Amino acid sequence: MAGRVAGKRALVTGGAGGLGRAMARMLAREGAKVAITDVDGAAADALAEEINAEVPGAAFGFAHDVADEARWAEVVADAVEAMGGLSVLVNNAGIGGDLVFVEGDTAANWDRQYQVNLRSVMFGCKHAMPHLRAAAPASIINISSIAGLAAGPGMGAYNATKAGVWMYTKTVALEAAKAEWNVRCNSVHPVFIKTPILDPFVAMAGGDEGAAHQKLARGIPLKRIGEPDDVAFCVLYLASDESKFVTGAEFKIDGGMTAQ
Ligand SMILES: NC(=O)c1ccc[n+]([C@@H]2O[C@H](COP(=O)([O-])OP(=O)(O)OC[C@H]3O[C@@H](n4cnc5c(N)ncnc54)[C@H](O)[C@@H]3O)[C@@H](O)[C@H]2O)c1
């Protein structure tokens, strides 16, 4: 099949959620096979079925908690078998949660965000790397956040874990470059994008989604929050060989937010 990622074999974690869903659809439409993994395995299967109705044989669903290293090993092996290899890894799964301020913060909050947002990215890179090397040219795309580059009150654990994803991406990029594996690794940093991860902000606005989104858009120079495809287009570029000279870089999808 023709397309910008024709012949690529991609694994997208948290693939049934707002951003992952847009990425999986776009990669499949552009010619890739896609393993959609999510802690909600039924949602991953349902999305794979939807995509296969449009692009037959393109998608596979897997139940996968990214905090669980043993499950990473199984899912990577199963995805490689289903797709015939692995050339793109998108570490997308992540959690936000309620705002927690410094004096009320807890070990449980930090441990959970660390496990799901940051340590998972190491597991993914570790278990995918032998397959990515075998399928090179290959690409790892880690979904950080603008919150990994700029802080916000009440977001201590999220800021810290997303900053960790940003820096870990560079470590992996440099290791792979030094070893001449032809595996690139980059991070993507979205600002607010319309997905369920923004639900706590909607709850704070008394359930009024429009009002919540408007409020979030106030600090953004383009005066709106993003759409999932705004991020998916960046992932598509990084998954494709169009970005073959790009590694260890960060991509801000933020409507100009951090230009201020
Ligand atoms: N939407 C935004 O505004 C925004 C902004 C910046 C960064 N991000 C990042 O983008 C990524 C995707 O977020 P989203 O907006 O699509 O969120 P979302 O809540 O819509 O989707 C997240 C998906 O991850 C899955 N998930 C949660 N915990 C998991 C686990 N332990 N293992 C596997 N899957 C798990 C969920 O089931 C869900 O399908 C996250 O890393 C998030 O931090 C989102």
Side-chain angles (χ1 to χ4, degrees):
M1 181 181 173
R4 289 172 63 187
V5 284
K8 297 288 185 190
R9 294 164 169 89
L11 188 157
V12 182
T13 68
L19 295 188
R21 172 174 294 268
M23 296 168 195
R25 273 217 184 89
M26 197 175 283
L27 289 168
R29 283 179 184 154
E30 289 290 338
K33 286 197 189 304
V34 189
I36 298 157
T37 87
D38 202 287
V39 72
D40 184 344
D45 286 342
L47 178 60
E49 214 171 290
E50 248 179 66
I51 291 175
N52 285 331
E54 189 186 332
V55 190
F60 307 85
F62 298 95
H64 178 203
D65 180 348
V66 292
D68 178 349
E69 182 169 16
R71 187 64 190 136
W72 259 111
E74 291 168 358
V75 166
V76 166
D78 290 349
V80 165
E81 195 181 327
M83 298 191 291
L86 183 65
S87 48
V88 176
L89 170 66
V90 189
N91 282 308
N92 165 71
I95 50 172
D98 295 333
L99 297 181
V100 185
F101 298 92
V102 60
E103 290 173 293
D105 216 340
T106 62
N109 178 42
W110 276 66
D111 288 351
R112 191 64 194 144
Q113 295 210 40
Y114 165 67
Q115 287 173 14
V116 178
N117 293 352
L118 179 54
R119 195 183 64 173
S120 63
V121 175
M122 178 276 285
F123 290 156
C125 294
K126 171 181 168 180
H127 289 281
M129 192 61 86
H131 303 285
L132 296 170
R133 288 172 59 186
S139 174
I140 300 171
I141 302 149
N142 295 328
I143 308 302
S144 173
S145 170
I146 220 64
L149 303 173
M155 297 174 66
Y158 191 73
N159 285 142
T161 56
K162 290 299 186 177
V165 171
W166 173 49
M167 196 50 59
Y168 181 66
T169 297
K170 294 178 189 293
T171 304
V172 173
L174 293 177
E175 286 184 19
K178 186 158 193 254
E180 299 185 26
W181 289 337
N182 205 5
V183 178
R184 299 176 297 101
C185 186
N186 294 286
S187 57
V188 176
H189 302 256
V191 76
F192 306 117
I193 311 287
K194 281 174 209 156
T195 77
I197 212 170
L198 300 185
D199 286 351
F201 296 100
V202 177
M204 272 161 46
D208 184 339
E209 194 177 72
H213 289 176
Q214 241 174 4
K215 197 168 170 198
L216 293 174
R218 266 185 220 153
I220 301 176
L222 287 181
K223 298 207 176 354
R224 58 178 186 271
I225 66 170
E227 308 280 348
D229 274 357
D230 294 328
V231 180
F233 276 117
C234 184
V235 168
L236 175 64
Y237 165 69
L238 290 171
S240 79
D241 294 336
E242 294 164 14
S243 56
K244 66 183 167 40
F245 195 51
V246 178
T247 197
E250 53 287 288
F251 289 77
K252 297 185 282 184
I253 310 293
D254 72 348
M257 177 100 139
T258 51
Q260 303 172 100

